[in-house]
Amino acid sequence: MPRYMKKRSKKAGLPPGTLVYIGDRKPDGVRITILDYDESSFHEMDAETVEACFPFKEKPTVTWINVDGIHEAEVIRKLGECYGLHPLVQEDILNTDQRPKMEDYGDYLYIVLKMLSHADKSEEILFEQVSLILGRNFVISFQEGKEGDVFGPIRERIRSGKGRIRKTGADFLAYSLIDAVVDSYFVIMEKLGERIDFLEEQLVDRPSPKTLHSIHTLKKEMIFLRKSVWPLREVITAMERGDSLLIHEQTRAYLRDVYDHTIQVIETIETFRDMVTGMLDIYLSSLSNRLNEVMKVLTIIATLFMPLTFLAGVYGMNFRHMPELEWPWGYPAVLGLMSAVTLSMLAYFKKKKWF
Amino acid sequence: MPRYMKKRSKKAGLPPGTLVYIGDRKPDGVRITILDYDESSFHEMDAETVEACFPFKEKPTVTWINVDGIHEAEVIRKLGECYGLHPLVQEDILNTDQRPKMEDYGDYLYIVLKMLSHADKSEEILFEQVSLILGRNFVISFQEGKEGDVFGPIRERIRSGKGRIRKTGADFLAYSLIDAVVDSYFVIMEKLGERIDFLEEQLVDRPSPKTLHSIHTLKKEMIFLRKSVWPLREVITAMERGDSLLIHEQTRAYLRDVYDHTIQVIETIETFRDMVTGMLDIYLSSLSNRLNEVMKVLTIIATLFMPLTFLAGVYGMNFRHMPELEWPWGYPAVLGLMSAVTLSMLAYFKKKKWF
Amino acid sequence: MPRYMKKRSKKAGLPPGTLVYIGDRKPDGVRITILDYDESSFHEMDAETVEACFPFKEKPTVTWINVDGIHEAEVIRKLGECYGLHPLVQEDILNTDQRPKMEDYGDYLYIVLKMLSHADKSEEILFEQVSLILGRNFVISFQEGKEGDVFGPIRERIRSGKGRIRKTGADFLAYSLIDAVVDSYFVIMEKLGERIDFLEEQLVDRPSPKTLHSIHTLKKEMIFLRKSVWPLREVITAMERGDSLLIHEQTRAYLRDVYDHTIQVIETIETFRDMVTGMLDIYLSSLSNRLNEVMKVLTIIATLFMPLTFLAGVYGMNFRHMPELEWPWGYPAVLGLMSAVTLSMLAYFKKKKWF
Amino acid sequence: MPRYMKKRSKKAGLPPGTLVYIGDRKPDGVRITILDYDESSFHEMDAETVEACFPFKEKPTVTWINVDGIHEAEVIRKLGECYGLHPLVQEDILNTDQRPKMEDYGDYLYIVLKMLSHADKSEEILFEQVSLILGRNFVISFQEGKEGDVFGPIRERIRSGKGRIRKTGADFLAYSLIDAVVDSYFVIMEKLGERIDFLEEQLVDRPSPKTLHSIHTLKKEMIFLRKSVWPLREVITAMERGDSLLIHEQTRAYLRDVYDHTIQVIETIETFRDMVTGMLDIYLSSLSNRLNEVMKVLTIIATLFMPLTFLAGVYGMNFRHMPELEWPWGYPAVLGLMSAVTLSMLAYFKKKKWF
Amino acid sequence: MPRYMKKRSKKAGLPPGTLVYIGDRKPDGVRITILDYDESSFHEMDAETVEACFPFKEKPTVTWINVDGIHEAEVIRKLGECYGLHPLVQEDILNTDQRPKMEDYGDYLYIVLKMLSHADKSEEILFEQVSLILGRNFVISFQEGKEGDVFGPIRERIRSGKGRIRKTGADFLAYSLIDAVVDSYFVIMEKLGERIDFLEEQLVDRPSPKTLHSIHTLKKEMIFLRKSVWPLREVITAMERGDSLLIHEQTRAYLRDVYDHTIQVIETIETFRDMVTGMLDIYLSSLSNRLNEVMKVLTIIATLFMPLTFLAGVYGMNFRHMPELEWPWGYPAVLGLMSAVTLSMLAYFKKKKWF
């Protein structure tokens, strides 16, 4: 099974709206946290059961329900029922190989994002799906719950009441979550940049088949990164330009800002792709270069010693009548001839600039 | 004859609307099954003759007529006449190398899809054309009837009355059929993913000309897959966004969902294409690498032994006056010289990092 | 002169609308045939002089004037004058390296197509330009008249009165001519498919520089095919979607049908291009593979025999004091040493999987 | 300095509208010729000073002022002032590395074209900028004046009064100039086609590094050609579709005609690019082929003679006890063994199809 | 850290609008200069503190405030507050890895550009971000302040009162700044052109791995150049076509002019990219060519001497009964045979055109 592909096939044949979790089973239970606030009040709690979220639906304050772990279909179903989510949305939340998208259901927007992180120590990039439901006065976020998230600073800002976040509505909260996800991409980009730099040095100093393998892995990772980030562009444009009443005029400037960041990430990925492609060319031509070097050594050696060996062979023949063999200065003469041959060969190579 | 191309040429020169079956003759006869249902009633039958389908045209219930085997032009003609299908539509149903398309004829929509399946055990992908006619209260589906179909679960859902299908109209049935076809693509994608994984391992462990051949075959299959899936995007968009009265508002959300799935399949195909292209690069550079390795061995051997053989040759010469030959320590001295030459050569290779 | 390029330069500097025939002179004279028909009547004749065509202009029946051979500018000029063709249209009819296009002059449409055929026995594809003038009640078709045409079945259908053609207007006749041209593309595509298949087999069995040459020729032919077929798409769209009153509503469905065929031809060409490109990759890597094979053989041979030859050389030296030479078992010992060296070398190659 | 790039940098920092001639200084002075005509009258003169052009501004006849040599900024400035040209237009006329463009200033259109020609005997393509000012009743054309122009036939047609040109307005004159420029491209294309043909033959018969160099030069020339011709498409479309009152309805059909020609030139360039790219592939694989050939010869020779030389070496050893040496038929036996080895090697190569 | 990437990651998690300087710390302080002018008056000063800029906000004259050094967030914040800049704009000014963009905030436009320069003596291209705020009667420009700027000539023109600049508004000043930046690109392009020319010569005369490295560096630089210049196209289009009241009608013609220049720069970059890609191909095939040359030398030498050495070996065998050895003319006969073999080999190579 390729690691970037989910077992989507197990859903084939089921009716639409069937809630089946696609992805690796996660051992821990589902964890639901609720942050409820307005400019003056703030309330934070862990929900024991999903029913604890229901009363917040009607409160005028902004409510952020974060669901960590989406493998229990029942939780999604109950939440969905209470908050009036379309069965297809419920299905999509469970389906973790969605591409980023935004769907406007009138009462709420459904947004899918990819959260990226690095596995501890390893260079592998992990992809986690985040689904956001933006309603009039609430945001529900669903995570796979594998690796922690990037929303810590936002929670902190809500708690402390700093910045605009407590003074604004649910749309600004949704924007902040998207912004946090996009900001985290820059961290990934920098690590990738470092890897590319390291590979480039390696390429110049000591290229090896391992270098090729690393380039190939990098290239593949870039393919998947691209797939996760490209559609985000449209998602944010759709939010900014769309005519949904859920998004206020002041928030649109902020969405434009996060749109700019997305474009930057996309451009960086494209730049990296170009660079990695260039590295492959360099690798291939360094291989050719090396082959040329090796072949030159071989040719020089062969060209030097073959005539000499032949000469030695001639005077190693056992003919009875070989006058040269009798001459007292025959041996030095042959040695001299050999030196002359060698020197002229070397001169030839010099002229050809072979060394 | 390339296997993906049909003998279209035998139609050249015939007037438009001529019913000629393009494709391989299928031995069995045509099999027509009828499912007729509404929320409360359900009726299933095998039609002995095509005339058995005619009474359902005027019934208010939803009727699904499935025609398995399209090689008998007469059957298509009679059905087409009864249900008012345009001669060009009748022609297209028989013509099995259509690209996926949707045509709005006012009273009915004509939809062409490609159903994919794996031949038993083999890795070859089979393409089968499915034509759908969506009328106000009926759906007619035409299959080539080669390999069974992917509509089993839908029949089951209609029979059992589970889910929305019995409560909704013909448009939802058509959507369900399209959805089943698209869902089956994921199965194909997974098998392809496994093959790519397997080839990648092979590429690293033991690349051979056979690997190259497999990559090439895979690439060709991808070309045909792409051709079958890409146009589906437009088909579904046309259905969702179109202004046909045959498709109700509630069904459009479901069409959007199947559209998302199609995009995912397309993206997966593109990703696979990128990966396969990358594999070809890897294969080529592993060839170069191996050549380099082989040449290094040759060069090392030649460079080590050529000077030695020359030295031995020199002292194999038969000159009468070669003072070295008389020296008692001449032989050990030459052996020593040979060792010295060998060692310095080895040091040179070591410095050049050749082994 | 590249064969696909016409001597266009001889027109440089002439005023627009000057009638100069571009192309190879054709020995035979111009042949004009007239078919005049409506639902009830049918009349066919060969026009001795161009003036014989003039009376048909005002007749209410549908008239098809087919001009075979366009090298006599005078004929075109006279016909053009009588039927009111713009001087630029007259010029374009003579100019045989037009790209397919459609121009709406209000009273008539001017359509340029490329008719393809295979030269007898050879694999070369011949390109012939067909110009159509579609008026209210007439169609004039101009051919270069090199190789016969693909309109035979249409003439037959008109004569026999079968099908819709006698019951409909000039626009359906024009459609039928275009359809016949597009249908003939499928024949070309199949032959190309067979050639590609044949080349692919050759590539696997016995690649040679000749194979490369064939691939290259095929690729070049594809470039020209593409150039002839791509613009047709727009031509037919312009006819179907355009607002010309010359094309009736019922004919548009047929134009949509021929549009679908054009798309299929275009897709087939693109597929072939991808396949041919893939074949080039295969060819190149099979070259590398063979080089590797050859080099392995060389390296194995050299690595086996160089040390042995050296050993033999050592004991061929003529030193007076070489104790080994005196030993009674010296010779067998050396032979044993040689065998040991050989066997260890073979084991090394075995381990490296060189054979 | 790359030859296709002008010293644009010397303008950096100057205010917009500063008249600085960019390009190589041309020794001769500026030459201004005036053609003034209407249907009945015709007047031709060489203007001694730029002031001689001023009276024509108000005349109702069509005036064509052709300025040959644009290196004297003062001339441009005076003409510009009299005819009311925007300072930026005056600047652009002097600036000879403009890309083709059309700008509508209401009272006049400013059109930039590239005129191409071949240097005498050499294959180098020369690029010369032509600026046209199309006013209500005048056309001013500015040329660099390096190599003569392609407008001779137009002058002749005006003088003789043949064709439409004397009967129509300034817009038709401007069209005629553009048409002459585009027609001259076909001459360039044919020469290029011949060069490509010649190179292709060379590629098959005797590829050499010089061939590669020629291909590379051709490719570079194509890049610059493309840059000069592509934008013309938009220029002509803008003229034809634009709403400028300076262009009459009848002229638009002619512009459409020249548009078609431009498309043909562009397609030819693209075709040539594809062909040149294909030639590079052929060249590279012919290199590989040759390497394979060379290596096969080497391997056959080495494989034949190494075992033989070894055998000879064995019996050249000086061991006292080598029984074979004493046998009377030892020598013939060894010769026989050598022949056997050679024959079996040859059989092996035969089987491998190496020759 | 790749040099073209800024430490963007240190902003991850901060609320939007937080002012954090991204980039290398610059030791010197911030320098603010003010130019205030209208047609009749002119005033120039260095602002000691940021507060000195505030009074100019309300003056009817045009004010240009240039901030050199953006690492002190406080300065930006104060200026921003006084001139009413949106927090996101303030943030973006500090954030030096923006892509060029234009944002319309109603009261003012925010424009981001990249200023390019060459490091002294080195060939490295430096990228510096310039932010412009265009208000009704003021322009504020922010530079990183690393390397001086390209605005000197504009200051001079304002001081001297030459040209249009003193007679026009703030929009013309903003245009002039953009124009100066774009003009400076031409200088960069010319240097690049020279480098490409130099590399091309090197490629023909003496290609080496260093050449490859230079090509690779050039290619990478092109990637970043492209990224900096491409978006400028949209920026200027947005200014020219936009409906902002801050830009007067007369200025739009000038913006169209700078747009043309941008297109020229972009086309030059694309041309360079094509040329560099072509150079890589040339380099690779020159490597192959050289390998072929080397291998031919080796093969010729081996093919000449191997048979000869074998022959010598045969007559160096010690068989007792070798009749040839006794023949008086045996030795000359063998020498003759050797010459014959050599000559026939040479003839063979001659025929194969190997030298």
Side-chain angles (χ1 to χ4, degrees), chain A residues 190 260-261 264 318 320 324, chain E residues 9 97 101 315 326 331:
Chain A
E190 274 174 31
D260 278 354
H261 296 178
Q264 256 174 297
N318 295 321
R320 179 145 306 184
E324 296 96 322
Chain E
S9 64
D97 69 339
K101 65 172 175 182
Y315 293 104
E326 311 301 325
Y331 179 50

Side-chain angles (χ1 to χ4, degrees), chain B residues 25-307:
Chain B
R25 205 88 202 163
K26 192 208 151 205
D28 321 358
V30 174
R31 200 171 146 251
I32 303 175
T33 53
I34 302 172
L35 271 82
D36 187 77
Y37 63 87
D38 61 8
E39 195 163 356
S40 53
S41 74
F42 167 74
H43 185 65
E44 183 171 6
M45 63 175 281
D46 271 29
E48 294 295 304
T49 61
V50 64
E51 283 77 10
C53 307
F54 296 176
F56 292 95
K57 201 192 164 187
E58 298 306 324
K59 284 180 78 172
T61 50
V62 177
T63 312
W64 172 18
I65 302 172
N66 180 52
V67 182
D68 236 340
I70 54 172
H71 48 283
E72 284 186 25
E74 195 55 16
V75 170
I76 312 296
R77 206 187 51 73
K78 280 185 188 159
L79 250 181
E81 221 156 77
C82 168
Y83 282 88
L85 305 184
H86 194 282
L88 287 172
V89 169
Q90 298 180 29
E91 189 187 355
D92 281 355
I93 288 169
L94 286 164
N95 186 343
T96 60
D97 69 338
Q98 298 287 323
R99 65 197 296 264
K101 65 174 176 181
M102 195 278 275
E103 283 174 1
D104 186 347
Y105 282 86
D107 283 347
Y108 57 92
L109 302 182
Y110 172 52
I111 302 158
V112 180
L113 299 172
K114 294 289 172 183
M115 188 160 69
L116 308 184
S117 59
H118 272 101
D120 309 292
K121 276 157 199 164
S122 135
E123 288 185 325
E124 203 184 339
I125 299 174
L126 300 178
F127 296 83
E128 186 171 338
Q129 177 163 315
V130 177
S131 299
L132 301 179
I133 306 289
L134 164 60
R136 202 178 42 75
N137 62 343
F138 62 90
V139 170
I140 315 180
S141 57
F142 298 89
Q143 308 180 35
E144 296 185 50
K146 282 193 288 203
E147 284 284 321
D149 62 24
V150 297
F151 300 147
I154 296 172
R155 286 190 194 94
E156 210 42 63
R157 256 185 280 152
I158 295 174
R159 284 185 201 117
S160 66
K162 272 185 201 148
R164 295 171 49 97
I165 200 160
R166 284 271 287 275
K167 307 184 191 78
T168 48
D171 56 338
F172 194 84
L173 174 59
Y175 148 74
S176 300
L177 296 176
I178 296 172
D179 190 46
V181 167
V182 173
D183 267 6
S184 77
Y185 291 170
F186 286 102
V187 184
I188 302 286
M189 289 300 117
E190 273 173 32
K191 284 232 171 143
L192 271 177
E194 278 162 26
R195 270 168 75 187
I196 287 175
D197 260 29
F198 176 74
L199 269 177
E200 245 183 12
E201 260 171 53
Q202 218 180 53
L203 203 61
V204 172
D205 290 0
R206 51 200 135 71
S208 73
K210 243 192 77 186
T211 320
L212 176 67
H213 192 76
S214 302
I215 295 178
H216 185 56
T217 312
L218 207 60
K219 213 173 167 183
K220 249 172 35 188
E221 226 142 57
M222 228 79 95
I223 295 176
F224 288 99
L225 261 180
R226 217 174 157 230
K227 222 172 124 179
S228 302
V229 180
W230 258 112
L232 201 55
R233 221 170 86 134
E234 292 160 48
V235 169
I236 300 176
T237 309
M239 288 179 72
E240 191 215 323
R241 306 257 166 89
D243 49 4
S244 170
L245 296 175
L246 294 167
I247 295 178
H248 302 104
E249 203 46 56
Q250 324 70 301
T251 310
R252 293 188 201 270
Y254 289 90
L255 284 170
R256 215 152 55 214
D257 192 56
V258 76
Y259 176 81
D260 279 354
H261 296 178
T262 310
I263 295 289
Q264 256 174 297
V265 173
I266 288 172
E267 279 197 346
T268 308
I269 292 174
E270 296 305 313
T271 304
F272 283 176
R273 270 167 63 99
D274 281 356
M275 285 169 79
V276 168
T277 303
M279 280 160 76
L280 205 67
D281 286 345
I282 295 284
Y283 179 74
L284 280 172
S285 47
S286 82
L287 276 188
S288 286
N289 254 323
R290 293 193 135 220
L291 185 60
N292 272 11
E293 284 315 304
V294 169
M295 292 315 298
K296 269 188 204 165
V297 170
L298 176 59
T299 305
I300 289 171
I301 290 290
T303 312
L304 280 180
F305 285 101
M306 277 191 163

Side-chain angles (χ1 to χ4, degrees), chain A residues 259-289:
Chain A
Y259 176 80
D260 278 354
H261 296 178
T262 310
I263 295 288
Q264 256 174 297
V265 172
I266 287 172
E267 279 197 346
T268 307
I269 292 174
E270 295 306 313
T271 304
F272 283 176
R273 270 167 63 100
D274 281 356
M275 285 168 78
V276 168
T277 303
M279 281 159 76
L280 205 67
D281 286 345
I282 295 284
Y283 180 73
L284 279 172
S285 48
S286 82
L287 276 188
S288 286
N289 254 322

Side-chain angles (χ1 to χ4, degrees), chain E residues 258-276:
Chain E
V258 75
Y259 176 80
D260 278 354
H261 296 178
T262 310
I263 295 289
Q264 257 175 296
V265 172
I266 287 171
E267 279 197 346
T268 308
I269 292 173
E270 295 306 312
T271 303
F272 283 176
R273 270 167 63 100
D274 280 356
M275 285 168 78
V276 168

Side-chain angles (χ1 to χ4, degrees), chain C residues 8-9 97 101 315 331, chain D residues 190 260-261 264 295 318 324:
Chain C
R8 180 72 172 251
S9 64
D97 69 337
K101 65 174 176 180
Y315 294 104
Y331 179 50
Chain D
E190 275 174 30
D260 278 355
H261 296 177
Q264 256 174 297
M295 292 316 297
N318 296 320
E324 296 96 322

Side-chain angles (χ1 to χ4, degrees), chain A residues 283-321:
Chain A
Y283 180 73
L284 279 172
S285 48
S286 82
L287 276 188
S288 286
N289 254 322
R290 293 193 136 221
L291 184 60
N292 272 11
E293 284 313 305
V294 168
M295 291 316 297
K296 269 188 205 165
V297 170
L298 176 60
T299 305
I300 289 172
I301 290 290
T303 312
L304 281 180
F305 284 101
M306 277 191 162
L308 301 184
T309 305
F310 164 64
L311 270 180
V314 165
Y315 293 103
M317 291 193 298
N318 295 321
F319 284 99
R320 179 145 306 184
H321 304 284

Side-chain angles (χ1 to χ4, degrees), chain D residues 29 31 62 67 74 80 84-86 90 105 126 131 174 210 223 280 291 323 331:
Chain D
R31 198 169 148 253
V62 176
V67 182
E74 195 55 16
L85 306 184
H86 194 282
Q90 297 179 29
Y105 282 87
L126 299 178
S131 300
K210 241 193 80 186
I223 295 176
L280 206 68
L291 185 60
Y331 178 50

